[in-house]
Amino acid sequence: MSAMPIVLPSNRDENWRYANLRGLARARFEPAPAPEATQLGDIAGRLPAALPGYARLVLVDGHHVAALSTALPDVNITHDVDAQEKSGADQRFANLNRRFRQGTCRIAVPAQAALALEVLCVATASSHPALDITLGDGAKLQLIERQLSARGDDSTLVNLHLAARVGEHAQFELARIGHHGAKAQALDTLELQLDVGASMKLVQVIEGALASRSTAFVEHVGREASLEWYVAALGEGTQHHDAFVHVTHAAPGARTLQCFRGIATGRSRVAFNGHMRVEAAALGTQTDQSLKCLLAGAEAEADVRPQLEIYTDAVKASHGATVGKLDADMLFYLLSRSIPPATAESLLKWAFVSDVLAKLPSPELRSQVAAALERQLPGAATRAWS
Amino acid sequence: MLVIKDLHAKVGDRKVLDGLNLEVPAGEVHAIMGPNGSGKSTLAYTLAGRPGYEVTAGSVSYQGRDLLALAPEERAQAGLFLGFQYPVEIPGVNNVYLLKAALNAARKHRGEAEVDAFEFLTLVREKMKVMQMDEAFLSRGVNEGFSGGEKKRNEILQMLVLEPSLALLDETDSGLDIDALKVVANGVNTLRSPTRAIVLVTHYQRLLDYIQPDRVHVLARGRIIRSGGPELARELEARGYDWVLNEAA
C-alpha cells in the first residue's frame, strides 16, 4: 500500500465549490480488514430484502463476501490494488480508492447477453468498493448499486469507484441508492464511456449521510449514444449533498437528458453541478437539463448550476434551473381537502421528487426506497403510490 | 348552517368584501351571482381560509362554530368543501391517494374509523359512475393533464366522496360544454339533502337551469345588494346587472 500523502480537493477547486469537505480532514481512509465469519450473520440481518429477478453481490468494506452473494459465473473478482492513479482534483477520491481498494469487482456482460444484478456495498468503517463493468455489444445490464452503513454509530466512510464501458448498442440501467447512517461520509466517482448506439439510464436517490459527494464523468465516444441521468437528493438537518456530473459529447448524434430534483429542509444543503461539453465533432448533439430544487427550511441552501460548453453549431441544447419553495396553491388545495399541513407538505415534497423516483427499475425497489423515505416524508412516501 | 355578518376582507391592500351579510340554512341551495370583480371568488376563498385573504371585520358562524377561528384543513374536516374555479394540478400525487387521504382525515376528525381499501374503492366507483368518469383517472396525478371539464368533474367527484355539510362551488360551470354541465349538475343535485347546504358562485343562469336554487343573491362591490328567488337569476340573465347596481346605488 502506498505511503504517499493523502491530498484532498478543496472548495477552491471549481468543481468542488459546493462540496462539504470539512469532515474529511480528520477522516481515516485506511480500509477496514475483511469481515470475520462471525460478523456475517449480523451483516446479513441488515441487508434489504432480495429483489425478485436480481442476482446479488455483497461487498463488505470493499471485500467480496461470497457467502452472502449469489454465484455469478460472469463476475470476476480480482485484486489489482495497483490501479494507476490519475491527475487532477476531480480524481483525488478516485485515486484514494485506487490506492486503498481491496479488490476490483469486474462485471463483464458478454455480447448480446443480459444480467440483472444488485450490488450491496456494506460499510462498517472505511470502505473503498470498486466496480469495473464491461458490456459487450448488444448486452443488457440492469444494475442496482446500494450502499449501506452497518455500524452502530453510523460514522462510516464509503469511497466508491465505478467504471463502465458500454459497448455498441448495449443497454446499461444503473440505479444507485444510499442507505447511509446519520454520521456517514459518502463519496463516489463514476467514469463511463458509451459506444455507438449505446444507452445508459442512471437513477440515483441520495438521502442519509452527513455529507455526500458524487462525481461523474460520462463520455459519448460513439455516435448516437443516449444518456438519461436522474438524481433525487433529499437533505435534512445539517446534511450536505453535492453532485457533479460532467458529460462529454465527442461523437455525433448523441443525446443527454439530465433531471435533478433536490429538496433541502432544516439547515441542509443540496447542490447539483451539471457540466456538458459538446466537442466540434459532435454534430447533431441533443442535450436537455432540468435542474430543480425545493427550499423547505429557513436556513436551507440549494445550488444548481447548469453549464454548457459547446464547440459546434449543430446542437440542440436546452436547460432550466430553478430554486423555489413549496407551491402555495398546491398546499392550500390539499389543506382544503382536509389533509393536515405536515402531511400536505410531505406529499408535495414527494411529488417534487417523483419524476426521479418513478424511474426506479423494480416495484420492490421502489417500495423499499419509499419505506426508507417515510421518515423524511411522513404520511407520503409509502402511500402516495398506493 | 352558515351565517355571515358584516364581513369585511381584503387581499393584500385591496378591500374586496365590504360588509357582506348572508344566511344559508341547512337544506338549501343558494346561488351567488354578480359582475366580474364583485368579490364572489374572494368570498369563497375567505370562507375556505385561503392564506392571503384577510378578514378585517365581521363574523362567520358555521354550524354554530366560529369558522374564522379554524385553520383551512380544520374547516374542511368540519365539513366545508370548496370546489375550485381553477383546480390545481399536482403531478406525483395520484387522485386515489388524495381522495382516500381526504376521506380518512375527515372521518378521523369525526371520530370514525378509516375506510379499508375495499370499502373505499366501492364508494369511489359508485361516485365515479355518477360523474361518468373513467377509473383510469384514479391513478393519474391530481388534475394532471385533465381538460377543464375533467377538472370540474373531478372537483364534484371529490365532493361526492367527502359528503360535506356545506359545499361552496366557485364557478363550477365555467369551461363546461352542455353535456358536461348536465353531468356536473347531476352530481351536485345528488348531494342535496335536508342536512346540507350548497352555495353556487356563478356568472350565468344556465347552471341554474339544472340546479334549482332556493335563493339567488347578487354580490356587487363586496356586499349582497339584492336577494330573491330563482326568478331573480332569470331576470339578471334577461336584463344584465346594471339595473340592480343602479337600484342599489
Side-chain angles (χ1 to χ4, degrees):
Chain A
M1 197 164 293
S2 171
M4 295 276 286
I6 292 170
V7 181
L8 300 178
S10 82
N11 293 122
R12 286 189 297 277
D13 294 309
E14 182 62 18
N15 295 336
W16 295 83
R17 283 175 56 184
Y18 306 128
N20 179 0
L21 304 165
R22 290 187 297 276
L24 295 170
R26 295 183 304 278
R28 181 179 167 81
F29 289 97
E30 286 74 14
E36 305 280 345
T38 52
Q39 291 177 273
L40 296 184
D42 178 52
I43 289 170
R46 293 170 180 261
L47 302 182
L51 299 172
Y54 285 80
R56 175 172 275 188
L57 186 69
V58 177
L59 305 176
V60 177
D61 294 323
H63 302 268
H64 175 229
V65 180
L68 299 177
S69 304
T70 315
L72 289 163
D74 294 327
V75 179
N76 175 27
I77 312 294
T78 61
H79 292 269
D80 52 349
V81 292
D82 294 326
Q84 184 83 38
E85 296 194 7
K86 297 182 181 177
S87 61
D90 295 334
Q91 286 288 338
R92 285 177 183 151
F93 287 111
N95 285 338
L96 281 177
N97 177 287
R98 292 178 182 112
R99 191 187 307 181
F100 290 122
R101 66 175 58 167
Q102 297 299 294
T104 302
C105 176
R106 298 195 185 280
I107 301 167
V109 186
Q112 310 304 328
L115 176 65
L117 177 66
E118 181 186 28
V119 175
L120 300 177
C121 300
V122 182
T124 68
S126 289
S127 169
H128 301 268
L131 300 169
D132 189 298
I133 297 163
T134 307
L135 275 73
D137 295 349
K140 184 173 181 182
L141 175 62
Q142 293 174 288
L143 181 68
I144 296 171
E145 176 243 309
R146 306 171 82 168
Q147 299 185 22
L148 296 86
S149 296
R151 180 182 166 123
D153 64 2
D154 289 338
S155 57
T156 53
L157 185 149
V158 179
N159 176 32
L160 175 139
H161 184 263
L162 186 155
R165 287 165 297 282
V166 186
E168 291 189 14
H169 303 288
Q171 299 172 46
F172 184 20
E173 292 182 14
L174 174 60
R176 312 191 66 220
I177 316 291
H179 300 284
H180 297 286
K183 296 179 184 173
Q185 302 274 349
L187 307 157
D188 58 67
T189 308
L190 275 63
E191 296 182 274
L192 310 163
Q193 285 190 340
L194 308 180
D195 212 328
V196 176
S199 69
M200 171 157 191
K201 181 164 89 173
L202 175 141
V203 186
Q204 183 173 14
V205 180
I206 303 170
E207 59 96 19
L210 186 60
S212 74
R213 159 72 182 207
S214 192
T215 307
F217 298 93
V218 189
E219 189 171 12
H220 291 275
V221 293
R223 60 168 56 233
E224 296 172 359
S226 164
L227 174 67
E228 295 177 43
W229 198 272
Y230 302 94
V231 178
L234 296 93
E236 60 176 343
T238 56
Q239 290 175 348
H240 192 133
H241 300 308
D242 174 39
F244 170 76
V245 183
H246 186 281
V247 180
T248 301
H249 283 255
R255 300 162 58 153
T256 296
L257 166 69
Q258 273 182 351
C259 173
F260 174 73
R261 299 290 181 264
I263 300 177
T265 58
R267 295 166 55 202
S268 68
R269 185 174 183 184
V270 297
F272 186 90
N273 185 347
H275 189 166
M276 303 256 203
R277 177 185 166 92
V278 182
E279 296 186 347
L283 304 171
T285 289
Q286 291 185 45
T287 67
D288 184 15
Q289 288 177 297
S290 170
L291 316 179
K292 296 181 182 177
C293 274
L294 188 62
L295 279 177
E299 295 180 69
E301 185 174 333
D303 303 282
V304 285
R305 190 178 183 194
Q307 297 185 75
L308 288 167
E309 190 181 343
I310 299 174
Y311 296 96
T312 179
D313 292 333
V315 169
K316 283 185 185 172
S318 64
H319 61 89
T322 61
V323 176
K325 296 187 174 180
L326 283 175
D327 185 294
D329 289 339
M330 291 184 188
L331 190 58
F332 176 63
Y333 191 84
L334 295 177
L335 297 178
S336 79
R337 296 300 181 254
S338 301
I339 311 285
T343 305
E345 290 184 12
S346 282
L347 270 176
L348 293 180
K349 289 177 186 173
W350 174 265
F352 188 78
V353 293
S354 64
D355 285 354
V356 173
L357 301 176
K359 305 289 184 190
L360 288 169
S362 89
E364 291 81 6
L365 179 64
R366 284 198 290 274
S367 295
Q368 290 179 11
V369 171
L373 292 176
E374 180 64 22
R375 189 184 48 77
Q376 275 209 56
L377 307 176
T382 53
R383 289 188 282 177
W385 280 341
S386 60
Chain B
M1 175 70 72
L2 179 70
V3 181
I4 303 173
K5 289 184 179 170
D6 193 30
L7 186 64
H8 291 69
K10 63 179 187 176
V11 182
D13 293 331
R14 192 167 58 92
K15 284 172 64 173
V16 185
L17 300 182
D18 186 21
L20 187 144
N21 293 287
L22 179 67
E23 196 161 329
V24 183
E28 293 192 0
V29 174
H30 287 217
I32 295 180
M33 305 179 75
N36 291 328
S38 57
K40 302 187 298 297
S41 292
T42 296
L43 173 62
Y45 282 141
T46 302
L47 294 177
R50 184 175 187 136
Y53 289 70
E54 184 187 350
V55 174
T56 54
S59 66
V60 179
S61 169
Y62 166 65
Q63 294 182 322
R65 301 171 68 182
D66 178 4
L67 184 73
L68 302 178
L70 302 177
E73 71 280 7
E74 292 171 328
R75 299 180 196 200
Q77 289 162 2
L80 186 149
F81 178 88
L82 171 63
F84 284 68
Q85 182 181 1
Y86 302 109
V88 296
E89 297 190 13
I90 312 181
V93 177
N94 68 32
N95 259 316
V96 72
Y97 175 80
L98 174 64
L99 279 169
K100 194 173 178 191
L103 178 62
N104 282 331
R107 289 176 67 96
K108 187 177 176 186
H109 181 78
R110 295 196 295 263
E112 299 170 7
E114 292 193 355
V115 288
D116 63 32
F118 179 77
E119 193 182 349
F120 173 72
L121 277 177
T122 304
L123 173 71
V124 170
R125 284 178 177 143
E126 174 198 325
K127 304 301 183 188
M128 291 192 87
K129 204 172 286 181
V130 174
M131 297 311 298
Q132 297 181 21
M133 290 174 74
D134 192 291
E135 278 190 35
F137 281 96
L138 288 176
S139 58
R140 286 169 59 177
V142 174
N143 294 318
E144 185 181 7
F146 287 21
S147 69
E150 288 166 346
K151 286 179 181 173
K152 295 300 175 72
R153 285 185 198 219
N154 202 31
E155 291 292 285
I156 302 304
L157 172 69
Q158 292 176 16
M159 182 184 78
L160 295 182
V161 170
L162 296 174
E163 299 185 322
S165 301
L166 173 63
L168 308 170
L169 303 179
D170 187 8
E171 298 199 26
T172 294
D173 52 336
S174 65
L176 296 181
D177 62 33
I178 195 67
D179 292 329
L181 181 67
K182 287 179 184 174
V183 172
V184 164
N186 181 49
V188 175
N189 284 326
T190 62
L191 198 76
R192 293 182 86 143
S193 92
T195 59
R196 296 197 180 95
I198 298 170
V199 176
L200 302 170
V201 172
T202 184
H203 271 294
Y204 304 109
Q205 151 69 24
R206 67 171 194 163
L207 177 66
L208 307 182
D209 289 339
Y210 301 100
I211 305 172
Q212 182 76 18
D214 297 289
R215 299 284 292 165
V216 174
H217 309 278
V218 179
L219 197 164
R221 302 186 195 104
R223 61 176 68 185
I224 302 293
I225 60 169
R226 193 180 188 95
S227 297
E231 71 287 349
L232 176 57
R234 289 190 286 275
E235 194 170 1
L236 291 168
E237 183 79 2
R239 299 174 61 191
Y241 289 110
D242 284 349
W243 65 277
V244 196
L245 297 172
N246 290 336
E247 283 185 11

